Amino acid sequence: MNEKFLQPYNPKDTESSLYELWEQSGFFNPDAMIQAGLTEESAEAFSMVLPPPNVTGTLHTGHALMLVIQDIMTRHQRMLGKRTLWLPGTDHAAIATQSKVEKILEKEKIRKHDLGREVFLERVHQFAQESHDTIVAQCKKMGASLDWSREAYTLDEEREKAVYTAFKQMYGDGLIYRKERIVNWDPKGQTTISDDEVVHIERPSKMYTFKYSHDFPFPIATTRPETKLGDTAVAVHPDDPRYQKYIGKEFSFDFAGEPVTVKVIADEQVDPEFGVGALGVTPAHSQIDFEIAERHKLPLKQVINEYGKMILGMDGVRGEKTEVAREAVVNWLREQGLLVEEKEIVQNVGTAERTGAVIEPLPKLQWWINVNKKIPHRDNRSLKELMLDAVRKDGIEILPQRFEKVYFHWIENLRDWNISRQIWFGHRIPVWYRNDETYVGITAPEGEGWVQDEDTLDTWFSSGLWTFSTLGWPDTDTPDFVNYHPTNVLETGHDILFFWVARMVLMTKYLIGEIPFKTVYLHGLVRDNKGRKMSKSLGNIIDPVELIDKYGTDALRMALIVGNGPGNDVNLDENKIKAYKKFANKLWNITRFILENTVPSPEETDYSPKDQEHTQEQEKLIAEISQEMNEYKYYLVSEKLYHYVWHNFADIIIEESKDIFENGTAEEKLSRQKFLWQSLKNILKILHPFMPFITEEIWQHIPREENDRELLMTNLWPKL
RNA sequence: GGGCGAUUAGCUCAGUUGGUAGAGCAGCUCGUUUACACCGAGAAGGUCAGGGGUUCGAGUCCCUUAUCGCCCACCA
C-alpha cells in the first residue's frame, strides 16, 4: 500500500499534478480519445460550449458553479463512451472591459482620447490578455476538462470572420438597417446601449403640473420640465371631450427663454385617465413621443446633448446639466405663476447596466436589427418567430421549464435591437462609406477614399454566434461543424437568458436554419450564507481560489452541487464545504481499509448471500443515479452518493467486514474481498464526475485489473 | 402595472411520479484511538408559513392570504 494512505487526504499535494496528468494525456480532446481507441469513432457525440467568461478580471463563485455543472456533464458523457467535446473560450465583453480599463487609466490620470484609438486599444488588449491568463488558470484549478486545443476568443480572427459574414448576410436580407431613432444613451459611457442593458430602478421624483404660458388653454403634467423646451405638440385622446375644441390648433410662446410652438394633436395612445389626460410631446427625448411624432409628422427638436447638458434656453438652463436646468425651469414656472401643482411620486428610471448612469433618450443615427421583418428563405418567418418556434416547435428544452414562459414573454415584447456602440473596443462595424456610397463586406473595399464606420458592435452580436463560430462557421463542412453542431446542452446562468441564449437562437436559426442546442440548463446565483448577493460593497465576495486552498476543489464542487437544482440560487456556507472535505477524507480511509484487508483479484468466487444483497442494493443505486444523471439531476445524485458511501458502504458494509475478516469462513472472506474491490472501483467511477481529483488520485494508487484503463477519467461508467 | 420563485428541525438546505418527514452544521449522552477524532453509536428536536379544497391518503395537486426575494414594463 502506498504510504500516502497513512496520512489524511491532502488535496493541495495532488490536484495540480493530476490536472497536468489529464491535460498531457490529451484526452480532453475527443479526437485523441478516438485515436487511442478509448472512444469508438462511430460513437454518439456530445458537445457543449463553455459560456465564455468576460476578460474583465477573475472568476467568481458563480463561474465556479458553472464550471462544476458543466464538468460533471462532460466527464459523465465521456465515461458513457461518447465523443465528448467541451469547448472553452473567453469573451471580449466590449463595454465591460473598455470601462474597466478606462477606470484604471483614470487612476493614472490618463484620458483615452489623449492616447488615441490605437494606443488605447493596445492597453485594453494587454489587460484582456492578463485577465484571460488568470481565467484559464482558474478553470484548470476547478478541474474543468475543457479541450484547450480548441480554445477561442470572441474577438480573434476566426470569430471576426464569422461576425462580418453574419453582418453582411443580415444586411443583404434587409434585417440590418441604419436609421435615426431614439436610443438609450448612456451619458457616462458615451455610447448607446440596447434595451436589455437598461436597468430600471425606482426613485423618488416629482410630477409637475403646469401651463406652458398664460395664453395656453390647459395645463399638462411632466416629471421632466427641462425637456419641455423641445416640445412640438400636445397629444390628447381623440375622444376626450375636454380637449376636442383645441385639436388641430397651434400655440406659440416663450418657454424658459426658448421660443416654442406646439400643435394639439389627437392620438389613441394617450390615456385620458392618467394625470390631466394631455401629454406634452417631446419627440427628441422620449421613445413614446418619438413614435407619436412619426405618426403625426411632427418636427423633432433636440434640447439635450450627449453630455446630458442643455443646448437651449435662458441663462441657468443652457449649458447646464439636466438636473440643474430642471430646478431652473421649475423656478421660472413658479415665478411666472404657471406652476399648478407639484407632487411627490415614485418614478422608474432607466440606468445603464455597466456605468449606472441615468439613461438619456436621444435621437441618433444607429445600426439596428429588424426583428419583425419576414425572411423569405426562412419560410417567411421573422427573427422573432424563428426564436419562438425554436422552443415551441424545434424542440429546445429549457430547464427549469418555467423559464420558457419568461423567454416567450421577452420575445413577444422585443423591439428592434440596437447593435452599434460608440466605443473603441470590439468588432468594428464592417461598413465603409465614400460620399454617398455605402459598402458592407467582410474586408475593406478596393479603391481610394473609403472610411470605415467608427462604431463597434454590441458584444452580444459576436457571442450570439458562439456555438458555431467556434466550430468553423462560415465553413459548414469542417469536421467540427459536421460532428458537433448543433450542440447538446447550453448551461448558463438564468440572468443571461435574454442577452445570450435568445441571441444564439436568433443567430443560429437565421444563419444556419438549425437550433444551436437541444437543452438549456439554467443555474441560479451563488449567494453568501445569509442569502445575500455577493457584491464588493457588502464585502461578502467569496473567492473560489481561497476556498480551494482551504478545502480542496472536490469539496467545493460538492458543496456547490448538492441540493442545488436548476434555476435555484445557492447559499454558499463554508460549513457545507467543510463537510465535503471530510467526505473526501472518508473516501480516502475507505480505500485504506480495503487496501489493508484485501488483494485486488481474489480468485474466482461466488458472492455470499449477504454480499449478493449488498450487490443488489448497489446495482439499484447505480441504476437510479444513471437515470438521474441523464435527467441532469446532479443535485440529487451527489446527495445520494454521499449518503451511500458514508452511511451504507462505510458505516454498515465496512463495519460488518471487520467481523467477517476476523470470524468468517474462508468463502465469506473471499466473497467480501471481491465485493469490496468491485465496490471501490464502482464508487470511484460514479463519484468521478463530481469529485474528479480524489477519485483519480486513488485510482492512480490502487492496482489495475484487466479492462481497467490507465486514467479513471477515461474509464467507462459502470454497466449493469 | 404584469409575471415568477421561496416559506420544511436552532442555522443552511434536500425531499424525483401524492404513500409513516431527511442531510450537514450547532447542541446533548455514550463510546472508540486496530480504515478514518476530518471517527462511531444513540437520543432529542418539525400542527412542512396561515386558511380552505381534491383524495382512502397531501410537504408534494388546486384555490386563497401573508411575508420575503427576483424578473419584465416607453403611463407622460
Side-chain angles (χ1 to χ4, degrees):
Chain A
M1 183 177 66
N2 192 298
E3 282 195 7
K4 276 194 143 191
F5 290 101
L6 299 176
Q7 303 287 326
Y9 174 62
N10 186 351
K12 266 193 155 166
D13 296 348
T14 55
E15 290 183 350
S16 56
S17 59
L18 281 171
Y19 195 89
E20 259 171 58
L21 182 71
W22 291 327
E23 208 181 353
Q24 277 164 16
S25 75
F27 294 144
F28 292 160
N29 181 342
D31 304 333
M33 288 286 285
I34 293 167
Q35 265 168 28
L38 298 169
T39 303
E40 308 253 353
E41 198 163 0
S42 60
E44 199 183 323
F46 176 89
S47 61
M48 174 169 65
V49 291
L50 174 75
N54 292 351
V55 287
T56 46
T58 59
L59 298 188
H60 54 253
T61 43
H63 291 113
L65 174 63
M66 155 185 110
L67 288 165
V68 172
I69 298 172
Q70 291 173 31
D71 193 47
I72 290 170
M73 289 176 177
T74 304
R75 287 180 187 271
H76 174 235
Q77 295 293 332
R78 194 183 288 121
M79 290 177 85
L80 290 178
K82 295 190 191 168
R83 286 181 295 129
T84 305
L85 172 63
W86 183 22
L87 198 151
T90 46
D91 193 332
H92 70 288
I95 293 183
T97 309
Q98 165 152 343
S99 58
K100 196 108 191 189
V101 173
E102 277 172 19
K103 266 178 205 153
I104 294 170
L105 289 176
E106 220 170 88
K107 279 187 193 145
E108 298 171 22
K109 302 234 182 322
I110 302 172
R111 287 171 55 183
K112 71 169 187 256
H113 285 281
D114 298 337
L115 294 179
R117 190 165 186 148
E118 297 307 314
V119 179
F120 175 75
L121 282 179
E122 205 37 61
R123 283 292 298 255
V124 180
H125 286 306
Q126 188 193 326
F127 175 86
Q129 183 62 46
E130 284 164 21
S131 178
H132 160 271
D133 296 348
T134 309
I135 288 166
V136 169
Q138 283 178 306
C139 288
K140 292 182 177 180
K141 231 175 150 86
M142 284 303 295
S145 58
L146 287 154
D147 179 7
W148 296 104
S149 73
R150 286 177 163 88
E151 191 189 345
Y153 178 44
T154 54
L155 197 57
D156 61 20
E157 241 174 76
E158 291 96 320
R159 262 45 68 180
E160 182 173 272
K161 191 177 166 202
V163 163
Y164 281 19
T165 305
F167 189 100
K168 190 183 171 191
Q169 196 170 322
M170 293 182 109
Y171 181 80
D173 281 336
L175 293 173
I176 287 184
Y177 63 93
R178 196 180 194 213
K179 193 187 170 191
E180 180 170 58
R181 288 177 46 183
I182 297 291
V183 297
N184 304 303
W185 180 258
D186 171 1
K188 206 164 170 186
Q190 288 291 302
T191 180
T192 58
I193 57 176
S194 67
D195 294 341
D196 299 285
E197 289 162 298
V198 177
V199 180
H200 294 272
I201 57 163
E202 274 194 348
R203 63 169 196 187
S205 176
K206 279 183 184 161
M207 171 83 81
Y208 302 95
T209 307
F210 70 96
K211 282 167 84 174
Y212 285 114
S213 75
H214 291 291
D215 297 334
F216 197 79
F218 53 88
I220 59 162
T222 183
T223 52
R224 299 197 63 189
E226 78 280 10
T227 64
K228 300 287 107 182
L229 279 71
D231 282 11
T232 54
V234 170
V236 297
H237 195 272
D239 302 332
D240 194 329
R242 290 172 292 181
Y243 305 115
Q244 288 282 337
K245 57 185 169 200
Y246 304 116
I247 293 170
K249 294 222 164 98
E250 264 190 20
F251 298 87
S252 291
F253 43 84
D254 176 277
F255 190 85
E258 175 61 24
V260 172
T261 299
V262 296
K263 186 176 171 189
V264 180
I265 56 165
D267 196 284
E268 296 276 351
Q269 208 172 343
V270 179
D271 176 3
E273 304 295 317
F274 186 86
V276 291
L279 165 65
V281 182
T282 322
H285 298 290
S286 156
Q287 205 101 234
I288 185 168
D289 293 5
F290 183 82
E291 283 163 24
I292 294 175
E294 270 196 328
R295 278 200 290 275
H296 296 269
K297 312 245 181 304
L298 296 169
L300 182 147
K301 184 168 158 198
Q302 188 169 343
V303 297
I304 302 167
N305 69 9
E306 279 78 1
Y307 301 99
K309 288 186 175 166
M310 301 294 293
I311 52 177
L312 298 173
M314 59 188 193
D315 280 355
V317 174
R318 182 167 32 190
E320 298 295 338
K321 294 218 163 211
T322 50
E323 290 84 2
V324 177
R326 185 173 313 153
E327 277 306 304
V329 172
V330 170
N331 283 333
W332 177 82
L333 285 169
R334 211 174 273 133
E335 283 161 17
Q336 300 291 313
L338 294 169
L339 191 62
V340 177
E341 196 191 11
E342 194 171 336
K343 207 167 100 191
E344 307 272 339
I345 58 157
V346 177
Q347 192 194 16
N348 274 323
V349 292
T351 61
E353 187 201 22
R354 291 289 166 194
T355 65
V358 174
I359 295 301
E360 193 62 64
L362 286 180
K364 275 202 161 291
L365 184 59
Q366 293 287 303
W367 288 96
W368 305 84
I369 289 183
N370 187 330
V371 293
N372 292 306
K373 186 181 160 76
K374 305 281 181 196
I375 307 158
H377 61 96
R378 293 286 175 233
D379 306 326
N380 255 338
R381 286 177 291 172
S382 65
L383 292 174
K384 257 189 189 179
E385 288 162 337
L386 288 174
M387 281 192 274
L388 289 173
D389 285 352
V391 176
R392 265 194 203 136
K393 297 184 188 156
D394 307 336
I396 294 184
E397 175 195 30
I398 303 181
L399 294 175
Q401 221 194 342
R402 62 186 150 90
F403 280 102
E404 290 186 3
K405 225 192 262 180
V406 182
Y407 174 85
F408 289 136
H409 183 257
W410 178 79
I411 293 172
E412 278 151 18
N413 292 297
L414 188 61
R415 296 181 296 169
D416 284 4
W417 173 17
N418 173 205
I419 51 167
S420 43
R421 298 287 175 276
Q422 292 68 54
I423 59 171
W424 287 342
F425 186 52
H427 290 281
R428 193 135 168 200
I429 299 217
V431 178
W432 287 260
Y433 309 101
R434 184 170 69 180
N435 302 325
D436 287 347
E437 292 174 274
T438 299
Y439 176 88
V440 176
I442 294 157
T443 51
E446 305 274 323
E448 296 290 305
W450 289 99
V451 180
Q452 189 172 4
D453 197 300
E454 288 290 317
D455 288 355
T456 50
L457 282 166
D458 180 2
T459 192
W460 298 103
F461 189 98
S462 58
S463 19
L465 313 175
W466 192 243
T467 45
F468 53 88
S469 68
T470 52
L471 295 175
W473 194 88
D475 288 337
T476 50
D477 51 6
T478 66
D480 272 5
F481 190 86
V482 172
N483 285 329
Y484 298 114
H485 197 273
T487 62
N488 293 72
V489 179
L490 189 273
E491 199 286 334
T492 192
H494 63 69
D495 51 333
I496 54 173
L497 179 63
F498 309 139
F499 283 124
W500 194 41
V501 180
R503 262 74 184 255
M504 283 191 283
V505 174
L506 179 156
M507 291 293 190
T508 315
K509 286 286 294 174
Y510 164 67
L511 290 163
I512 300 171
E514 287 180 5
I515 52 173
F517 29 68
K518 291 159 195 155
T519 303
V520 178
Y521 181 110
L522 298 170
H523 62 250
L525 240 57
V526 182
R527 299 169 174 280
D528 75 359
N529 62 352
K530 293 188 183 70
R532 298 173 307 183
K533 212 167 174 169
M534 291 188 194
S535 73
K536 272 185 191 153
S537 54
L538 276 173
N540 61 346
I541 290 181
I542 305 175
D543 178 4
V545 174
E546 261 173 52
L547 294 174
I548 289 171
D549 285 345
K550 241 164 130 180
Y551 304 104
T553 301
D554 291 326
L556 175 61
R557 289 172 65 118
M558 283 295 276
L560 285 168
I561 210 73
V562 173
N564 177 25
N568 291 338
D569 293 352
V570 231
N571 293 359
L572 189 59
D573 185 359
E574 246 185 88
N575 277 326
K576 197 172 171 188
I577 313 176
K578 220 183 272 176
Y580 293 108
K581 181 176 172 22
K582 289 185 186 177
F583 179 58
N585 196 55
K586 190 76 184 179
L587 185 63
W588 193 249
N589 281 295
I590 286 169
T591 308
R592 174 174 162 190
F593 176 85
I594 294 173
L595 288 172
E596 279 174 345
N597 290 285
T598 69
V599 284
S601 287
E603 52 201 86
E604 259 330 287
T605 176
D606 292 329
Y607 278 149
S608 65
K610 195 140 225 170
D611 288 333
Q612 278 178 28
E613 208 178 291
H614 290 322
T615 304
Q616 276 170 18
E617 200 179 32
Q618 195 181 91
E619 283 175 349
K620 191 176 157 243
L621 172 84
I622 294 176
E624 261 175 46
I625 64 155
S626 297
Q627 176 64 29
E628 285 160 354
M629 289 297 280
N630 293 335
E631 293 163 358
Y632 309 106
K633 291 176 180 162
Y634 308 120
Y635 56 107
L636 277 180
V637 175
S638 50
E639 197 178 6
K640 278 186 184 173
L641 291 178
Y642 174 91
H643 194 265
Y644 176 77
V645 170
W646 200 308
H647 299 298
N648 268 355
F649 194 71
D651 289 349
I652 296 171
I653 296 171
I654 289 200
E655 288 308 318
E656 192 182 79
S657 303
K658 292 176 187 169
D659 183 55
I660 293 174
F661 292 143
E662 193 128 327
N663 308 311
T665 65
E667 287 79 21
E668 281 172 338
K669 283 185 200 171
L670 277 178
S671 162
R672 179 50 57 104
Q673 290 190 330
K674 182 179 165 190
F675 175 71
L676 289 178
W677 264 102
Q678 290 314 314
S679 297
L680 177 63
K681 294 205 301 188
N682 279 340
I683 286 169
L684 291 177
K685 286 175 187 170
I686 57 187
L687 265 178
H688 180 73
F690 299 89
M691 306 180 83
F693 287 109
I694 187 172
T695 51
E696 185 71 76
E697 175 69 6
I698 292 172
W699 188 264
Q700 292 307 316
H701 291 96
I702 60 173
R704 295 275 180 284
E705 293 175 88
E706 220 188 319
N707 298 328
D708 285 348
R709 292 176 176 176
E710 198 86 356
L711 289 172
L712 179 59
M713 183 188 105
T714 62
N715 272 269
L716 292 175
W717 190 257
K719 272 207 193 93
L720 296 174

